[in-house]
Amino acid sequence: MVGIIMGSSSDLSVMQDAIDICQSFGVAYEVDIVSAHRTPVKMLQYAQTAKERGVKVIIAGAGGAAHLPGMVASATILPVIGVPVKSSNSIDGWDSVLSILQMPNGVPVATVALNASKNAGILAIQMLAIADEALAHKLETYKQELVEKVAEMSQQTKSNWK
Amino acid sequence: MVGIIMGSSSDLSVMQDAIDICQSFGVAYEVDIVSAHRTPVKMLQYAQTAKERGVKVIIAGAGGAAHLPGMVASATILPVIGVPVKSSNSIDGWDSVLSILQMPNGVPVATVALNASKNAGILAIQMLAIADEALAHKLETYKQELVEKVAEMSQQTKSNWK
Amino acid sequence: MVGIIMGSSSDLSVMQDAIDICQSFGVAYEVDIVSAHRTPVKMLQYAQTAKERGVKVIIAGAGGAAHLPGMVASATILPVIGVPVKSSNSIDGWDSVLSILQMPNGVPVATVALNASKNAGILAIQMLAIADEALAHKLETYKQELVEKVAEMSQQTKSNWK
Amino acid sequence: MVGIIMGSSSDLSVMQDAIDICQSFGVAYEVDIVSAHRTPVKMLQYAQTAKERGVKVIIAGAGGAAHLPGMVASATILPVIGVPVKSSNSIDGWDSVLSILQMPNGVPVATVALNASKNAGILAIQMLAIADEALAHKLETYKQELVEKVAEMSQQTKSNWK
Amino acid sequence: MVGIIMGSSSDLSVMQDAIDICQSFGVAYEVDIVSAHRTPVKMLQYAQTAKERGVKVIIAGAGGAAHLPGMVASATILPVIGVPVKSSNSIDGWDSVLSILQMPNGVPVATVALNASKNAGILAIQMLAIADEALAHKLETYKQELVEKVAEMSQQTKSNWK
Amino acid sequence: MVGIIMGSSSDLSVMQDAIDICQSFGVAYEVDIVSAHRTPVKMLQYAQTAKERGVKVIIAGAGGAAHLPGMVASATILPVIGVPVKSSNSIDGWDSVLSILQMPNGVPVATVALNASKNAGILAIQMLAIADEALAHKLETYKQELVEKVAEMSQQTKSNWK
Amino acid sequence: MVGIIMGSSSDLSVMQDAIDICQSFGVAYEVDIVSAHRTPVKMLQYAQTAKERGVKVIIAGAGGAAHLPGMVASATILPVIGVPVKSSNSIDGWDSVLSILQMPNGVPVATVALNASKNAGILAIQMLAIADEALAHKLETYKQELVEKVAEMSQQTKSNWK
Amino acid sequence: MVGIIMGSSSDLSVMQDAIDICQSFGVAYEVDIVSAHRTPVKMLQYAQTAKERGVKVIIAGAGGAAHLPGMVASATILPVIGVPVKSSNSIDGWDSVLSILQMPNGVPVATVALNASKNAGILAIQMLAIADEALAHKLETYKQELVEKVAEMSQQTKSNWK
């Protein structure tokens, strides 16, 4: 199961892509609102109990001084994927990116691009696929579809410029 | 009492100035190593029990993805002063500054300049002096000394350039 | 009393949140337009007389080369909270943030996030609550409300994704 | 097996930490020099054949316009961890960080902090531990050691400031 | 012939200017969608076969972690001109610019300004004109037209402000 | 006479404020379109002949790789005021600011804030007022008006918050 | 007379170049230490009385949250030249530059490059030379010397590479 | 012939690599000191006469507000390669990079990485090789040598970690 959390329901529009990826790959997930700064106790509990609840990877999205991914990582041995969200008073997203990326030695967060919850979803699938050949096969198919989409765009573009 | 914490004893060289300010103003303080990422449980306990232990202001120094000040602020109603420390693999200090400064609504951190633990100390004294006239008087004296130091420098500079 | 000042009435839309916090916590406040660059003499007078007028904390908002918080801090021993305002020709807010944050040793400004006048208000309340248990109690309640709001969002989100 | 690659042997001093982590956790690894820009064909072959060679996670370190992690990710379904290396003519590390982090939808790279190959190693172990309880147990022990190291520092610091 | 490629057909609106320049200078060109991250094999093939297909200069546009120009340059001796595209989740364009510009020694990319595919087109013409005097003559005419356009603007402005 | 130049008539909307200031202070001015990159010869001639034409200060506005102010300064001993214009494909204005500000030793440009052509106009008046007491008197009046405008805003704000 | 001020005698090493320029052009100057943050009252007095003391241009150097140039400009109609000084805990000089450059409408500061007090000196001379032909002539000579120095370097370089 | 110019002989240590590349590829070159800001007239003459002197590509290195590459490009139809030099008071190299890269439409500069004069040299060779098969062949050989160097490093690294 993939645990997908974020600090506020206003982050759902960005985090939806991670949920969609889990659905399209047929991987179980749970979604919750967990705030590092407003609900620190719940946040630690979430992290401490995630593994025993069956969570295998955690995806955490947050903006501004984005502490959720790093703090969850502090209290679990599960891999944590951090999604920097460009929130309204963000300084161009730099705050979210650096708050999530620059973790100290010992407590990593697997950071993806600004607002890139889709890639967070795919990365979670890739981690699960390490020990799940059926899932690995689906990833091969997904990668092949990327190739085909570009081929279509290429075809259309070339015919336009002939 | 002022609580002065930092994530690692390697931050002591930067945080020493805050300790010195407390000493020179005759204000009690405690110093401890508390890491948001390595000791999240202790960190929350520190924050949750600070007020009842007699701490009135907390100064927290951290570098990189600096979550300590903000996380301590999440679990106490005491004012928390954050000192962004320019650590070795910091991206020019931007990571420390933004991780501490850009806190979400509801949970402020009083951020001071990069490595400016001296100003963190003075700010703590200023907060305590709101309800402590003797301390306020010492601050007036301190401010006067700043004026005099500049006057001395001015004197010497003018005589050099006469 | 909390003194809330800003450089222009155009900053009121950002600074309103600080006023609202004072009102909701039942703390007296005064609001004024004081410009460091257009009314330097009035600005120094404001700072020099604030304490005797009964002001205990000053909140100053400013944008661009934002000198108001730092200059007010230069002329009072009261704690000064600086709110970096993202003004129209700001360079992404960096100018406001750095002009307020990077104060020299001896004269701190308690800086909050870009446009975060709400947090400036809360921080002022926290400072006053150091010596005011009734206010401290209100802060505990406020913190509890933050927890409850997240619980509500959590409840709703979970039911959506069941 | 963890595949650890970098663009030049000059990156070894930074990447050594990832190797050490693998060793200390008793996880097999291979180390190679693979350059996206100088050996693009070998690079693609490395990525395409990694899974069949038994590699389960790839750690790729690179500096400047750091294309190695993202390009390897383009040609494998294995999770790829990117380590931004601060190279000599880097623009403060921003180039390495952004070139690795800001991957387009469909092809994620799990980015860690600047020069943080130690965290890359731990993250790789965390991924492998999803399906390896013995490894998960070692991670729990590792996390406990972090707590103890802070406790030691705390003890020493407190006795200094008594 | 000038080869004009980009990672997605969504980049066509930016890259159109390069196509227009080729047309207005009467220089042959080909347009294709080639993605470094989704179609790495096709991308290398494109680069490896470009010279034998008659391509003399390649213009590659890409955004975010923009690897296309640098990777194409890795597999051809033709000069490659990189156009940093400011894509939707870009961090203000910095990611595109640095990912294209900061190439390691041995594999240059001729980088132009953010979104400046027009200048990429002109630069390609300038390279071809090194050995093509007719084309050089057209460039002289083009440069003269720039002078005349400014003269017109100057004339009109002066008459407005008389 | 103040010489006001810019690289394109599209900069007029930003540069208008400088013109207005000259008008309101009754100072003669000339306006022209001069492009460093499209009309380098005219640009040098403009600079070389400005003093003999009676120009005493030059205001030059430019965006992106903004070379106009610095290049004009290279060919005249008149003080040159540079206005960084935030143009359409600018990287947040940083390019304009740094291209104008960071002049090498020997050839200064008096740089004002992003898009701040109004301040460029005032600065030009200040320079002329060094040797023109009537103009100096007008500046005193202008400064007094700034004070009064703030006083009005202050009055209105205070009455709102009474 | 040129007024040269700085916030601390530690800035003298940077500001020395401005003094040297005044000396070599035979222009009178005064040097003083005036701190916006430590001596705000003296600072305003300095600015308010500068004109009557015979000062015609003010050069002010400051680092970090560099308020000295802007605050002096707030209290005088004399042109103020700001020198951003890269101080020890500066965030790469960005704080000094933005604090001085981004002044609000109505109160300009003529900003020069980071640490460029030499250019501040030359700019002051240029302003004085508007109404002083002898000084203007010296500037022509100075400009000619720059040409000759490059000619010498050119000669030597060419002979090296023959 | 390749024209290699720079603003000061102090840039020679950075620009040497471009010279070495020309030598090792057996391509004629000329080296000169040409300053946009100190010798604008000579600079324009250099650019205007370069083509008739037999120059086919110009490499221009400059730091700070680096106007040399762009201004040379304004006065010639030859392709101009710009090398941003990280000079002593540079703001981390950002000024050099942005001043060279962000050229307006109509006047491109082929920008390479910070201090990357080696890549400027290779890019110049690539441009000349468009119409010179012997040179193209040398580039193929050079590219092959890059592959071999990595192979050697790979061999050695693998044997170390066996």
Side-chain angles (χ1 to χ4, degrees), chain F residues 39-59:
Chain F
T39 58
V41 174
K42 177 185 174 185
M43 182 268 293
L44 276 196
Q45 283 169 345
Y46 180 91
Q48 288 162 338
T49 61
K51 188 159 182 286
E52 66 202 44
R53 273 203 324 280
V55 174
K56 292 186 184 322
V57 186
I58 295 172
I59 296 175

mmCIF file of all heavy atoms in Angstrom, chain F residues 39-59:
data_model
loop_
_atom_site.group_PDB
_atom_site.id
_atom_site.type_symbol
_atom_site.label_atom_id
_atom_site.label_comp_id
_atom_site.label_asym_id
_atom_site.label_seq_id
_atom_site.Cartn_x
_atom_site.Cartn_y
_atom_site.Cartn_z
ATOM 1 N N THR F 39 21.627 48.938 -33.105
ATOM 2 C CA THR F 39 22.239 50.131 -33.694
ATOM 3 C C THR F 39 23.471 50.554 -32.900
ATOM 4 O O THR F 39 23.522 51.657 -32.348
ATOM 5 C CB THR F 39 21.219 51.303 -33.707
ATOM 6 O OG1 THR F 39 20.796 51.551 -32.347
ATOM 7 C CG2 THR F 39 20.002 50.988 -34.542
ATOM 8 N N PRO F 40 24.487 49.688 -32.859
ATOM 9 C CA PRO F 40 25.665 50.002 -32.032
ATOM 10 C C PRO F 40 26.383 51.275 -32.472
ATOM 11 O O PRO F 40 26.904 52.004 -31.621
ATOM 12 C CB PRO F 40 26.550 48.759 -32.190
ATOM 13 C CG PRO F 40 26.084 48.089 -33.438
ATOM 14 C CD PRO F 40 24.617 48.383 -33.546
ATOM 15 N N VAL F 41 26.399 51.542 -33.769
ATOM 16 C CA VAL F 41 27.119 52.732 -34.232
ATOM 17 C C VAL F 41 26.383 53.989 -33.796
ATOM 18 O O VAL F 41 26.981 54.922 -33.239
ATOM 19 C CB VAL F 41 27.282 52.683 -35.775
ATOM 20 C CG1 VAL F 41 27.891 53.991 -36.283
ATOM 21 C CG2 VAL F 41 28.137 51.492 -36.183
ATOM 22 N N LYS F 42 25.065 54.011 -34.020
ATOM 23 C CA LYS F 42 24.267 55.161 -33.581
ATOM 24 C C LYS F 42 24.388 55.340 -32.059
ATOM 25 O O LYS F 42 24.466 56.457 -31.559
ATOM 26 C CB LYS F 42 22.794 54.940 -33.944
ATOM 27 C CG LYS F 42 21.885 56.068 -33.450
ATOM 28 C CD LYS F 42 20.411 55.804 -33.699
ATOM 29 C CE LYS F 42 19.556 56.916 -33.048
ATOM 30 N NZ LYS F 42 18.112 56.661 -33.146
ATOM 31 N N MET F 43 24.411 54.214 -31.361
ATOM 32 C CA MET F 43 24.485 54.267 -29.898
ATOM 33 C C MET F 43 25.771 54.965 -29.449
ATOM 34 O O MET F 43 25.745 55.849 -28.586
ATOM 35 C CB MET F 43 24.410 52.837 -29.344
ATOM 36 C CG MET F 43 24.423 52.700 -27.842
ATOM 37 S SD MET F 43 26.109 52.491 -27.204
ATOM 38 C CE MET F 43 26.526 50.874 -27.860
ATOM 39 N N LEU F 44 26.909 54.552 -30.044
ATOM 40 C CA LEU F 44 28.174 55.198 -29.672
ATOM 41 C C LEU F 44 28.155 56.676 -30.041
ATOM 42 O O LEU F 44 28.629 57.528 -29.272
ATOM 43 C CB LEU F 44 29.355 54.497 -30.351
ATOM 44 C CG LEU F 44 29.911 53.253 -29.659
ATOM 45 C CD1 LEU F 44 31.292 52.915 -30.206
ATOM 46 C CD2 LEU F 44 30.012 53.444 -28.140
ATOM 47 N N GLN F 45 27.605 56.995 -31.212
ATOM 48 C CA GLN F 45 27.537 58.408 -31.618
ATOM 49 C C GLN F 45 26.679 59.200 -30.644
ATOM 50 O O GLN F 45 27.032 60.312 -30.254
ATOM 51 C CB GLN F 45 26.971 58.512 -33.032
ATOM 52 C CG GLN F 45 27.986 58.140 -34.101
ATOM 53 C CD GLN F 45 27.361 57.984 -35.459
ATOM 54 O OE1 GLN F 45 26.135 57.874 -35.584
ATOM 55 N NE2 GLN F 45 28.188 57.925 -36.493
ATOM 56 N N TYR F 46 25.561 58.608 -30.257
ATOM 57 C CA TYR F 46 24.704 59.290 -29.285
ATOM 58 C C TYR F 46 25.501 59.646 -28.026
ATOM 59 O O TYR F 46 25.447 60.768 -27.524
ATOM 60 C CB TYR F 46 23.506 58.413 -28.916
ATOM 61 C CG TYR F 46 22.594 59.080 -27.916
ATOM 62 C CD1 TYR F 46 21.521 59.861 -28.327
ATOM 63 C CD2 TYR F 46 22.820 58.948 -26.548
ATOM 64 C CE1 TYR F 46 20.711 60.512 -27.411
ATOM 65 C CE2 TYR F 46 22.018 59.597 -25.619
ATOM 66 C CZ TYR F 46 20.966 60.374 -26.055
ATOM 67 O OH TYR F 46 20.179 61.025 -25.152
ATOM 68 N N ALA F 47 26.237 58.656 -27.535
ATOM 69 C CA ALA F 47 26.983 58.856 -26.296
ATOM 70 C C ALA F 47 28.108 59.872 -26.488
ATOM 71 O O ALA F 47 28.321 60.759 -25.641
ATOM 72 C CB ALA F 47 27.542 57.526 -25.805
ATOM 73 N N GLN F 48 28.827 59.745 -27.625
ATOM 74 C CA GLN F 48 29.999 60.613 -27.853
ATOM 75 C C GLN F 48 29.618 62.080 -28.039
ATOM 76 O O GLN F 48 30.401 62.970 -27.722
ATOM 77 C CB GLN F 48 30.777 60.106 -29.068
ATOM 78 C CG GLN F 48 31.538 58.805 -28.791
ATOM 79 C CD GLN F 48 31.939 58.097 -30.074
ATOM 80 O OE1 GLN F 48 31.332 58.323 -31.122
ATOM 81 N NE2 GLN F 48 32.937 57.223 -29.989
ATOM 82 N N THR F 49 28.407 62.304 -28.567
ATOM 83 C CA THR F 49 28.019 63.679 -28.877
ATOM 84 C C THR F 49 27.060 64.277 -27.848
ATOM 85 O O THR F 49 26.653 65.436 -27.975
ATOM 86 C CB THR F 49 27.333 63.737 -30.256
ATOM 87 O OG1 THR F 49 26.143 62.910 -30.192
ATOM 88 C CG2 THR F 49 28.237 63.220 -31.355
ATOM 89 N N ALA F 50 26.679 63.486 -26.856
ATOM 90 C CA ALA F 50 25.642 63.946 -25.921
ATOM 91 C C ALA F 50 26.059 65.224 -25.206
ATOM 92 O O ALA F 50 25.292 66.193 -25.121
ATOM 93 C CB ALA F 50 25.327 62.844 -24.912
ATOM 94 N N LYS F 51 27.293 65.231 -24.700
ATOM 95 C CA LYS F 51 27.736 66.395 -23.918
ATOM 96 C C LYS F 51 27.727 67.666 -24.759
ATOM 97 O O LYS F 51 27.216 68.712 -24.325
ATOM 98 C CB LYS F 51 29.144 66.135 -23.362
ATOM 99 C CG LYS F 51 29.637 67.185 -22.387
ATOM 100 C CD LYS F 51 30.756 66.658 -21.506
ATOM 101 C CE LYS F 51 31.223 67.697 -20.504
ATOM 102 N NZ LYS F 51 32.033 68.770 -21.098
ATOM 103 N N GLU F 52 28.251 67.577 -25.975
ATOM 104 C CA GLU F 52 28.298 68.791 -26.806
ATOM 105 C C GLU F 52 26.901 69.239 -27.249
ATOM 106 O O GLU F 52 26.683 70.395 -27.574
ATOM 107 C CB GLU F 52 29.214 68.577 -28.024
ATOM 108 C CG GLU F 52 28.731 67.554 -29.022
ATOM 109 C CD GLU F 52 29.890 67.013 -29.876
ATOM 110 O OE1 GLU F 52 30.974 66.720 -29.293
ATOM 111 O OE2 GLU F 52 29.716 66.880 -31.084
ATOM 112 N N ARG F 53 25.939 68.298 -27.242
ATOM 113 C CA ARG F 53 24.557 68.671 -27.569
ATOM 114 C C ARG F 53 23.863 69.320 -26.368
ATOM 115 O O ARG F 53 22.723 69.742 -26.464
ATOM 116 C CB ARG F 53 23.749 67.422 -27.960
ATOM 117 C CG ARG F 53 23.832 67.034 -29.420
ATOM 118 C CD ARG F 53 22.624 66.200 -29.856
ATOM 119 N NE ARG F 53 22.137 65.295 -28.835
ATOM 120 C CZ ARG F 53 22.656 64.117 -28.535
ATOM 121 N NH1 ARG F 53 23.710 63.677 -29.191
ATOM 122 N NH2 ARG F 53 22.127 63.377 -27.602
ATOM 123 N N GLY F 54 24.518 69.352 -25.239
ATOM 124 C CA GLY F 54 23.929 70.009 -24.072
ATOM 125 C C GLY F 54 23.312 69.054 -23.067
ATOM 126 O O GLY F 54 22.739 69.476 -22.069
ATOM 127 N N VAL F 55 23.436 67.758 -23.355
ATOM 128 C CA VAL F 55 22.936 66.784 -22.385
ATOM 129 C C VAL F 55 23.858 66.780 -21.167
ATOM 130 O O VAL F 55 25.079 66.863 -21.315
ATOM 131 C CB VAL F 55 22.865 65.370 -23.014
ATOM 132 C CG1 VAL F 55 22.498 64.326 -21.965
ATOM 133 C CG2 VAL F 55 21.857 65.348 -24.160
ATOM 134 N N LYS F 56 23.263 66.731 -19.975
ATOM 135 C CA LYS F 56 24.073 66.746 -18.753
ATOM 136 C C LYS F 56 23.987 65.425 -17.985
ATOM 137 O O LYS F 56 24.894 65.054 -17.246
ATOM 138 C CB LYS F 56 23.627 67.900 -17.854
ATOM 139 C CG LYS F 56 23.967 69.270 -18.455
ATOM 140 C CD LYS F 56 23.659 70.372 -17.493
ATOM 141 C CE LYS F 56 23.903 71.747 -18.103
ATOM 142 N NZ LYS F 56 25.082 71.852 -18.990
ATOM 143 N N VAL F 57 22.892 64.741 -18.143
ATOM 144 C CA VAL F 57 22.701 63.425 -17.524
ATOM 145 C C VAL F 57 21.969 62.552 -18.542
ATOM 146 O O VAL F 57 21.080 63.038 -19.235
ATOM 147 C CB VAL F 57 21.821 63.508 -16.252
ATOM 148 C CG1 VAL F 57 21.756 62.156 -15.554
ATOM 149 C CG2 VAL F 57 22.310 64.582 -15.309
ATOM 150 N N ILE F 58 22.329 61.256 -18.588
ATOM 151 C CA ILE F 58 21.643 60.332 -19.499
ATOM 152 C C ILE F 58 20.906 59.289 -18.670
ATOM 153 O O ILE F 58 21.465 58.725 -17.730
ATOM 154 C CB ILE F 58 22.643 59.646 -20.455
ATOM 155 C CG1 ILE F 58 23.271 60.698 -21.387
ATOM 156 C CG2 ILE F 58 21.961 58.550 -21.274
ATOM 157 C CD1 ILE F 58 24.410 60.158 -22.244
ATOM 158 N N ILE F 59 19.645 59.063 -19.021
ATOM 159 C CA ILE F 59 18.868 57.964 -18.426
ATOM 160 C C ILE F 59 18.659 56.927 -19.523
ATOM 161 O O ILE F 59 18.119 57.245 -20.580
ATOM 162 C CB ILE F 59 17.502 58.459 -17.915
ATOM 163 C CG1 ILE F 59 17.684 59.469 -16.775
ATOM 164 C CG2 ILE F 59 16.649 57.288 -17.446
ATOM 165 C CD1 ILE F 59 16.376 60.099 -16.308
#
